[in-house]
Amino acid sequence: MAGDDVLLAERRGPAAVLTFNRPDKLNAISSTMLAALAARLDEAERDDDVRAVILTGAGDRAFVAGADIGEYAEGDRDAFVRYQRESRRVFTRIDAFPKPVIGAVNGYALGGGFEIALCCDVLIAARAARFGLPEGLLGLSPGGGGTQRLTRAAGPFVAADVLVAARRLSAEDAFRLGLVAEVVEPDDLLDAAAAKADAVARVAPLSAVEMLRLVRAASDLPLEEGLDAEHEALFRLRGTADAGEGIRAFVEKRDPRFTGT
């Protein structure tokens, strides 16, 4: 596939590991990288053996340190708009991906890198990770969901600080704010992400799909509508073969054998 060199793909147990691979550019997001990422997500969605996707960055300096500013400088306004719209489309694809997406954040997650992280379902950060939305320092503002997703995830006061004061969050800051699930040593990052993917794989696939959908909708729905949606999901799941198997396995004190049906 064209662009494979800027996005590496490998399997690690039940997870598809996608690595942003422009370490000399701090893994800045190019148009080629966006196209490769969209294609690899399509492949991971079609593969029933893939239970989770892990996103990470090559090297130890950056997850993704933002957009490729070189493309900004070389292109005209129309090219800039096309790039931003494609970024938004691919980021939304990550946000709505039907399988859990785990972000393994090593180093800088700035601008579009933080926006990608905010689209993940679970974040694990190396202790040296740094998060920020510094677009205001370029006379710009975020275009891949940073203002909206950070506000929903951490609240308006934190979002305003990160945006209008260009504050960078440490891994520990992000953990305290509930953005990051775990902070680990850099050498342990991929192992921790793989362990999280193994844990995901033990959950019934249809249950994971329903629960992700409910979590993603929770901030947009009134409580009673959310509770109604929760009941509807539970009642659908109760009629599946996996629910029958899970209940039998619990009674029989054995591990369930889920089939995704």
Side-chain angles (χ1 to χ4, degrees):
M1 176 195 305
D4 265 359
D5 56 332
V6 299
L7 185 81
L8 305 180
E10 63 178 313
R11 282 292 298 277
R12 184 158 175 169
V17 181
L18 305 181
T19 303
F20 303 110
N21 187 40
R22 300 181 75 203
D24 56 323
K25 301 285 189 180
L26 296 180
N27 302 322
I29 309 165
S30 64
S31 295
T32 303
M33 183 185 284
L34 284 173
L37 177 57
R40 288 298 186 184
L41 289 172
D42 287 344
E43 291 176 7
E45 181 174 359
R46 290 192 299 265
D47 189 341
D48 291 338
D49 291 332
V50 171
R51 294 295 312 280
V53 170
I54 296 172
L55 299 180
T56 195
D60 58 5
R61 297 180 63 200
F63 174 71
V64 170
D68 187 342
I69 303 301
E71 285 197 30
Y72 289 3
E74 294 171 6
D76 58 15
R77 183 182 184 280
D78 288 343
F80 177 80
V81 170
R82 285 194 300 272
Y83 175 89
Q84 292 297 331
R85 286 179 173 163
E86 182 61 9
S87 294
R88 176 179 170 180
R89 185 188 72 80
V90 176
F91 294 2
T92 298
R93 176 86 168 97
I94 299 169
D95 198 5
F97 198 68
K99 301 175 183 182
V101 179
I102 300 163
V105 181
N106 48 314
Y108 295 117
L110 304 177
F114 194 7
E115 290 173 321
I116 289 173
L118 289 167
C119 292
C120 296
D121 298 298
V122 178
L123 291 179
I124 300 172
R127 200 165 299 283
R130 294 294 181 269
F131 303 85
L133 295 168
E135 286 86 347
L137 298 175
L138 298 177
L140 300 170
S141 63
T147 64
Q148 301 305 298
R149 291 191 176 98
L150 181 58
T151 302
R152 285 166 169 75
F157 299 108
V158 170
D161 192 18
V162 169
L163 288 160
V164 303
R167 176 187 173 192
R168 290 189 182 180
L169 302 174
S170 68
E172 292 294 344
D173 291 334
F175 178 77
R176 285 193 296 270
L177 291 166
L179 298 173
V180 163
E182 294 181 51
V183 177
V184 299
E185 298 303 325
D187 289 345
D188 298 329
L189 181 62
L190 278 181
D191 286 342
K196 192 69 68 177
D198 289 340
V200 165
R202 291 194 290 272
V203 172
L206 295 178
S207 295
V209 169
E210 292 284 9
M211 291 188 291
L212 279 180
R213 184 179 60 80
L214 290 166
V215 168
R216 291 163 178 170
S219 62
D220 298 322
L221 292 176
L223 177 59
E224 287 302 320
E225 289 184 28
L227 293 174
D228 288 343
E230 183 179 84
H231 260 180
E232 290 164 7
L234 174 61
F235 300 155
R236 280 194 299 273
L237 289 169
R238 184 60 185 92
T240 66
D242 276 355
E245 164 64 9
I247 293 168
R248 283 194 302 275
F250 180 82
V251 172
E252 295 168 8
K253 296 181 173 55
R254 60 175 174 82
D255 292 333
R257 295 180 290 273
F258 295 126
T259 61
T261 59

